[in-house]
Amino acid sequence: MQQPDLRVLIPRQDIAAKVQEMGETLSRDYRGKEVLLVVVLRGAALFAADLCRCIEADVVIDFIAVSSYGSSTSSSGVVRFLKDLDESVESRHVLIVEDIVDTGLTLAYLMENLKSRHPQSLRTCTLLDKPSRRRVDLRPDYVGFTIDDLFVVGYGLDWDQRYRHLPDICIHSEK
Ligand code: 5GP
């Protein structure tokens, strides 16, 4: 297979600074409360691992997995549960942690699903946002970087399960 060109879009130092800043905001907003981080596998795992260490509040972490694009780089619009939470969300402050919001279909689906389980509060946090691609009316509560319509990899984000381990967020040329 031919190697696509990878060009750094967001270097690791900028990611680290942004994650720290988001952690400070979350620490303010959840001060004195317990927050349940619902980390969306697999992409958000690296972001969540760094973010949770910057939050000064009572943090509980759980994971959820829904179907993603597979090896394609455009949305199928189909969202499917692959792994549910172990924790109950009822009466808790829940924060969904995503790697990237693109069409918004995944997050909209997750929000509807978690809302029906009666959390005390439900907010959303994403490292990357591509608002120009949105197909539903949805604005995440906490956004790290707003980016153009580019396909990115690294820092948890994959292309056909590859490149998640890259420390920088890079543009994948095969779009
Ligand atoms: P949405 O449902 O908002 O269209 O898509 C959300 C999911 O699509 C993300 O969690 C991620 O798995 C995948 N995705 C969307 N855009 C990108 C991208 O630029 N790069 C990668 N690697 N995945 C993306």
Side-chain angles (χ1 to χ4, degrees):
M1 188 173 65
Q2 220 184 340
Q3 271 288 11
D5 283 330
L6 296 178
R7 193 158 53 82
V8 174
L9 177 68
I10 308 172
R12 62 200 79 179
Q13 309 88 290
D14 294 6
I15 299 171
K18 182 63 76 178
V19 171
Q20 177 69 39
E21 185 189 309
M22 294 177 87
E24 284 166 15
T25 304
L26 291 168
S27 302
R28 270 200 307 277
D29 292 0
Y30 288 98
R31 180 171 295 140
K33 293 178 184 157
E34 183 203 81
V35 57
L36 173 63
L37 301 187
V38 171
V39 182
V40 185
L41 294 172
R42 298 176 207 172
L46 278 70
F47 169 47
D50 287 339
L51 182 68
C52 70
R53 285 178 282 180
C54 300
I55 303 175
E56 289 175 28
D58 285 336
V59 174
V60 175
I61 304 173
D62 200 356
F63 299 92
I64 203 164
V66 291
S67 61
S68 66
Y69 297 163
S71 57
S72 155
T73 52
S74 66
S75 177
S76 64
V78 178
V79 180
R80 199 161 47 92
F81 252 104
L82 303 176
K83 183 214 170 291
D84 203 347
L85 296 170
D86 294 321
E87 296 286 321
S88 163
V89 307
E90 191 173 343
S91 305
R92 298 175 84 171
H93 295 290
V94 176
L95 180 67
I96 301 176
V97 181
E98 261 285 22
D99 50 359
I100 188 162
V101 181
D102 187 32
T103 63
L105 291 167
T106 309
L107 196 52
Y109 172 83
L110 276 177
M111 286 181 73
E112 275 317 301
N113 186 287
L114 294 186
K115 249 186 226 164
S116 72
R117 306 183 200 186
H118 309 294
Q120 188 169 337
S121 69
L122 179 63
R123 289 187 190 153
T124 55
C125 170
T126 185
L127 179 63
L128 302 170
D129 190 15
K130 285 198 261 188
S132 64
R133 298 251 313 154
R134 207 69 100 243
R135 282 168 56 189
V136 288
D137 183 19
L138 185 153
R139 245 173 305 163
D141 297 293
Y142 304 93
V143 174
F145 301 96
T146 299
I147 61 168
D148 292 335
D149 180 12
L150 301 161
F151 193 81
V152 290
V153 296
Y155 197 65
L157 288 147
D158 76 310
W159 179 81
D160 203 9
Q161 298 308 329
R162 300 175 65 202
Y163 309 119
R164 291 194 198 274
H165 66 293
L166 300 178
D168 307 304
I169 292 171
C170 302
I171 301 169
H172 190 286
S173 61
E174 285 188 13
K175 176 153 184 165

